[in-house]
Amino acid sequence: MSEDTLIKIVPFITPVFVVMVAASLNHFLTIRRTRSKDNAEIAQKIIGEGDIENAHDFLLEVQFQSLYKANIEAPVIRYLLEQPHPTKKLFQFSKGYEFFKIHKDKEGNVIGLRLTKNLEKKLRYRLRFLREISLYVGLVCLGIAPILFFSDVIQDIINKTGYPFLIGLTFWVVGCLMGAIVALRDAMNLMFAKALFESLKTEQPDPA
């Protein structure tokens, strides 16, 4: 690809990468800040000065949402707070909650968490994880392939059509890379969910 073509493409592509890198960095720093909080600080933020049993459902849910940016029912929060290493488990659940099925007793108290769609089975978990990673790799390749392997064709089209094609190419790259980020996030969240499930397996009875 000629220097003139690169000069045309760079102003369109550069802001996209800047925004994506900034978003990823913000997400990473948010996780680091959350995980670096002291257990007592997190507990005080979630349940205040009272105890778990007396804390109002609304308070638990609002505080959890403020801390972890996830909407979780109060009975689940209480259940995780009562487990060993609650800080770690709350964080893992805030990331992987979409992969869990919640089991409750007749009073509405949570008695167990199970992975959905039989993901607790190693083979199914690995297949799902590999699917997300494959999707991530595939979308990254689709996003950058036109620029890497079809530079001559792109240059000819740009010479004929100008900026409209550059805009379309930018949307293609953005769409593929955003999809790749979502797939990678899902793979990471699945890892958090699996880790939480494994840690709870010996601490909870099998729900009926």
Side-chain angles (χ1 to χ4, degrees):
M1 187 176 292
S2 67
E3 182 178 348
D4 292 339
T5 303
L6 287 175
I7 292 176
K8 292 179 181 179
I9 292 178
V10 168
F12 285 87
I13 302 298
T14 300
V16 175
F17 284 100
V18 170
V19 171
M20 293 178 66
V21 170
S24 300
L25 182 60
N26 179 69
H27 178 68
F28 174 76
L29 291 177
T30 300
I31 291 177
R32 290 293 299 272
R33 286 196 299 268
T34 300
R35 297 185 70 177
S36 65
K37 290 179 180 292
D38 182 76
N39 290 357
E41 181 183 352
I42 291 178
Q44 184 177 10
K45 182 171 180 60
I46 293 179
I47 65 177
E49 299 297 333
D51 54 43
I52 299 173
E53 293 298 327
N54 294 327
H56 194 281
D57 287 359
F58 177 77
L59 174 62
L60 285 177
E61 293 176 5
V62 169
Q63 295 290 57
F64 186 90
Q65 199 280 333
S66 174
L67 184 62
Y68 292 103
K69 310 304 179 185
N71 295 316
I72 306 300
E73 295 180 352
V76 179
I77 300 173
R78 285 194 177 90
Y79 174 77
L80 293 173
L81 285 172
E82 292 169 352
Q83 304 300 316
H85 310 293
T87 304
K88 181 178 180 180
K89 288 181 171 61
L90 286 169
F91 174 79
Q92 290 172 329
F93 189 81
S94 72
K95 295 300 178 183
Y97 63 90
E98 62 185 295
F99 299 107
F100 279 101
K101 181 178 180 181
I102 301 169
H103 293 268
K104 300 180 181 179
D105 59 19
K106 295 180 180 180
E107 286 73 33
N109 300 314
V110 175
I111 58 175
L113 299 175
R114 310 295 295 190
L115 291 175
T116 59
K117 300 178 181 178
N118 295 322
L119 289 176
E120 56 197 66
K121 297 180 180 179
K122 290 184 178 181
L123 179 59
R124 289 182 179 271
Y125 165 77
R126 289 173 181 172
L127 289 175
R128 176 64 183 271
F129 181 78
L130 287 175
R131 188 187 79 177
E132 300 299 339
I133 293 299
S134 299
L135 184 60
Y136 164 74
V137 174
L139 287 172
V140 169
C141 292
L142 283 175
I144 65 176
I147 298 176
L148 293 180
F149 302 109
F150 301 100
S151 58
D152 294 336
V153 176
I154 291 175
Q155 180 177 343
D156 291 338
I157 297 176
I158 290 175
N159 291 336
K160 294 178 181 179
T161 63
Y163 288 105
F165 179 77
L166 280 177
I167 295 174
L169 179 61
T170 300
F171 275 107
W172 171 266
V173 174
V174 171
C176 289
L177 294 183
M178 290 299 293
I181 290 176
V182 171
L184 182 60
R185 182 203 63 190
D186 289 345
M188 295 178 63
N189 289 346
L190 180 59
M191 290 178 60
F192 284 122
K194 182 67 172 179
L196 175 57
F197 172 73
E198 293 294 336
S199 68
L200 290 173
K201 255 197 321 188
T202 58
E203 301 165 7
Q204 64 183 13
D206 289 335

